[in-house]
Each structure stands twice: as structure tokens, then as C-alpha cells.
Amino acid sequence: MKNNIMSIDVEDYYMVSAFSDIIRFENWETFDSRVEKNTYRILDLLNEYRVKATFFILGWVGEHYPNLVRDIHKAGHEVASHGYNHRLVYELSPEEFRADIRKAKRILEDISGDSVIGYRAASYSVVRETFWALDILIEEGFSYDSSIFPVYHDRYGVPDADRFPNLISRGGSTIWEFPPSTYRFLGSNVPVSGGGYFRLFPLWISRSAINRINSKEDKPVIFYLHPWEIDEEQPRLNGRMLSKLRHYVNLSSTYSKLSTLLKEFQFQPISSFLNDVSSLR
């Protein structure tokens, strides 16, 4: 059975990019936080199925809930960076981006006591125009990125990017890329790897896609989820209609669907995949 990759983007419901037009970062501390409760539910579920995952954690979350980071690390999961405060890469200058990832990396490493080698941008915002971010990640000591989504989308995506883990060369240096998985259908890449797509599609589509990618293409699936996606009782925010649709669709079924995937498929953190690749060299 193919060993897939499980990743969790640790952020709270009010931190998402979809609501950034109505919620300012300066006001985050005024909201009822649910990130600890929801992340611990995911940790318990992963423990039930003896699955280890990569947790891409916001530096701000680590700063405010250091025990959560310690418990994630203590449970044997990989601690990786989701940036500091969920800012989109294409809205940052290179200097601002460097400061952001450097700050988050320092916070998470100080708390966990371990090296942070992986990064995932807010809302997969490493797009063709921001490939310079890969150079900065290399310079700041990251071994891999997981931010290039090979799809068409109104806010992100590089449709012709490699669909599977690959080593990218940048000016004489290299960095691994772990793109969220897509299913090839009628000449297009269909996102089936988690998040809102996992909540929107029936479970059989996700299972079928994972099976096909594993068996027909002989590749691992890179799956992702956010703790708020298992929280049907989270407060409702009054954002734009499309944002609300994307954020709230099928929250009630996500936990049970995730449980089914963990039962039927094998998963590992990205760091384990890299260790396996290194051992084959």
C-alpha cells in the first residue's frame, strides 16, 4: 500500500484569507479561539489510527499556544511553518516575506526544540509571480515547500506545475516541492487533496482519487486539512457569499470522512518521505 502524506494547517477559523477583508490581524485576539480544541481533536484521531502528520503551524498560533506546539511535537508529528500571521505571499515584498518566515521559524524552533525544515504559504500563494519566494526559503534554511497548487483558481495556482513531489532547482540550489494532490480528468487537474474540496465532494470521489493516484500513477497523495474544518459549531462570520460558501460547506461531515481515510489508507509526514528518499540515494 502506498504511503501518502497527511498535513494539517494549524490556524483558527477567523484567520483564513477568505475573511481577511473583514477581520484585521490586529483584532485576532478579540475572537473566541477554538484552534486548541480542534487541533487536539485531530491529534486524538491521528493517535487512534497511529498516523503521524506534518503540522504547518502559524507562528502567531505558536506564540500564543506554545503548549499546543509542544504536544504536537511530543506526539511524534512534524512541526513545520505556515508563516507568522497568514499573509499572502503575493501581497508581500521579498523583504517582508523573509521577515515573516524567519520570525515564524524562530518561534516554532524555540518552542519545539527541533529544526523546522518545511513551509506552506497561506492559501497556496506561491504562484508563478512569486517563485522568488523559493529562493528565500532556501536561503533561510528550508528543505521543502508545499505551496504550489497545480490548478486553476481565482486566488492561487500554477496549472502546469508538477503534480507530484519534485526537486526544484533555483540558481544552483534545490528545494523539494510537495504540491497538494490533483486527479487528472479530461485534460485538467481536479483538486482532490483536502480542504474545501474534501468537504464539497462526496467521500467516494476522494477514495477513488487516492486509490487511482496510488495504484495507477504509483504516487503518494498529499492531503491537507485545517482544524476549523471539523468544527461545525464555530461562530459564523459575515463575509462575502462565496467566502462563506467555501468556508462553511459540509463542516458537519468532515471529521467522519477524515476518520474513514485514516482507517483505509496509509499516511506519513513529509519529513518521513524525505528520509525515505535520502535512504535510497
Side-chain angles (χ1 to χ4, degrees), residues 98-210:
R98 187 186 298 275
D100 179 271
I101 64 170
R102 183 177 289 178
K103 181 177 183 178
K105 192 174 194 290
R106 175 184 55 76
I107 290 169
L108 296 174
E109 288 182 339
D110 286 349
I111 296 169
S112 69
D114 208 349
S115 298
V116 169
I117 64 169
Y119 171 78
R120 175 173 287 162
S123 299
Y124 299 102
S125 51
V126 173
V127 295
R128 198 176 306 281
E129 294 74 22
T130 55
F131 277 177
W132 49 259
L134 300 175
D135 303 322
I136 297 176
L137 287 171
I138 293 170
E139 292 167 3
E140 293 298 321
F142 288 88
S143 300
Y144 72 85
D145 173 64
S146 183
S147 309
I148 301 176
F149 212 145
V151 295
Y152 287 100
H153 192 278
D154 59 322
R155 303 183 66 187
Y156 56 77
V158 182
D160 59 350
D162 199 312
R163 294 173 53 230
F164 301 112
N166 63 98
L167 196 60
I168 296 178
S169 296
R170 298 288 300 180
S173 299
T174 59
I175 187 168
W176 276 93
E177 180 62 37
F178 288 84
S181 294
T182 56
Y183 180 82
R184 195 74 179 158
F185 183 70
L186 297 179
S188 297
N189 296 337
V190 179
V192 292
S193 49
Y197 308 107
F198 181 60
R199 289 183 283 116
L200 178 63
F201 295 146
L203 180 59
W204 70 265
I205 291 182
S206 298
R207 295 161 89 179
S208 176
I210 294 173

Side-chain angles (χ1 to χ4, degrees), residues 83-101:
Y84 178 71
N85 62 348
H86 214 261
R87 297 184 66 187
L88 301 173
V89 177
Y90 49 73
E91 294 181 353
L92 298 173
S93 68
E95 293 76 19
E96 289 172 327
F97 176 73
R98 187 186 298 275
D100 179 271
I101 64 170

Side-chain angles (χ1 to χ4, degrees), residues 223-264:
F223 187 87
Y224 71 95
L225 204 71
H226 305 84
W228 55 262
E229 292 186 279
I230 63 168
D231 184 7
E232 184 183 10
E233 298 178 357
Q234 65 185 269
R236 265 36 180 185
L237 302 172
N238 190 26
R240 292 171 295 176
M241 185 62 66
L242 180 58
S243 296
K244 290 191 291 185
L245 175 63
R246 287 172 170 170
H247 190 89
Y248 297 119
V249 64
N250 294 336
L251 291 176
S252 61
S253 61
T254 311
Y255 185 88
S256 62
K257 290 166 71 175
L258 176 61
S259 179
T260 299
L261 290 193
L262 294 173
K263 180 180 180 180
E264 296 184 0

